[in-house]
Amino acid sequence: MKSPNINILPDLKGISHAAAAEFLKIGNAAIEENDRFTVALAGGSTPRKLYEYLASDKYNSDIDWEKVFFFFGDERDVSPASNQSNFKMASEFLFKPLGINKSNIFRWQTEIIDAPGIADQYEKTIRKFFGLKAGEFPRFDLTLLGMGEDGHTASLFPRTGALNETAKITAANLVKQIRSFRLTRTFPTINNPANILLLVSGEGKAKTLQKVLENDFDAEKFPVQCIKPENGKLTWLVDEAAAQFLK
Ligand code: 6PG
């Protein structure tokens, strides 16, 4: 297997600056080519500094934000106003500071009561935006991802049903480990973008990162090992603390 493209940065700030530069490079190339930039954001805490940087004076004038269209790789089964919501985090640190138009933001409609209904609705949203036929998957210009200490990515957790979904774009994934549903894009979707940036920070992830990158493939145990874009570029952006056990 082609060795993954791993960039090791000193710390989270280094990862976030590198990710901001890549975001803008990929985004401006996409706008140049298609007059729009489609990006699927990651949730959790790692990307927060990246979002802050993109909204800061250092970077915020380097792209035409009106041509950037934001989606979410996954979401918690909570209200968009909840502190657990990935949409709320992105709104606070990216959308509001930049004044992003609502029409450029496509979030999971988590106010729908049941998780499968939320997933179905988001599938429709994505199909409509990309004009997809049955069996086609969206090709985002950029997908941002993180990795959990258990080797999950997006909301594709170890030994959960959504790992095996190959037909749908989205899934409502019952995650027994956290006793709740999570909304997630599926592997065929997550592996279809032109570019993936996978951000991993902190010593808490170091043992898992070493197993993920250097041990045998085990999709059920380490779902993040299944991130292999068919015809796209995967770049890991990890900091020294997370990379400390890599050979
Ligand atoms: C989420 C994310 C999830 C995240 C990892 C890492 O909804 O939480 O999509 O996949 O990327 O859990 O989370 P941290 O960045 O908080 O460590």
Side-chain angles (χ1 to χ4, degrees), residues 42-47 74 76 86 145-148 152-155 182 205:
S45 57
T46 302
D74 68 319
R76 289 78 182 277
N86 290 333
L145 290 173
M147 184 192 81
H152 80 260
T153 189
S155 284
R182 281 286 191 94
K205 310 251 174 106

Side-chain angles (χ1 to χ4, degrees), residues 73-87:
D74 68 319
E75 187 54 279
R76 289 78 182 277
D77 190 9
V78 296
S79 149
S82 159
N83 287 333
Q84 289 300 310
S85 162
N86 290 333
F87 165 76

Side-chain angles (χ1 to χ4, degrees), residues 156-231:
L156 295 161
F157 284 76
R159 291 176 291 284
T160 55
L163 298 183
N164 308 307
E165 177 56 61
T166 55
K168 289 185 175 176
I169 291 174
T170 65
N173 195 20
L174 181 58
V175 184
K176 293 179 287 305
Q177 299 91 312
I178 53 175
R179 283 194 297 284
S180 72
F181 271 104
R182 281 286 191 94
L183 291 318
T184 187
R185 291 186 308 148
T186 55
F187 278 125
T189 312
I190 287 185
N191 275 323
N192 202 36
N195 297 277
I196 299 176
L197 295 179
L198 214 163
L199 282 59
V200 185
S201 169
E203 62 178 345
K205 310 251 174 106
K207 282 205 171 49
T208 302
L209 188 65
Q210 187 277 326
K211 289 177 190 154
V212 162
L213 293 177
E214 297 178 350
N215 287 13
D216 295 344
F217 181 75
D218 184 339
E220 287 287 313
K221 201 168 165 200
F222 299 116
V224 72
Q225 286 182 323
C226 301
I227 301 300
K228 287 189 220 113
E230 304 297 312
N231 51 356

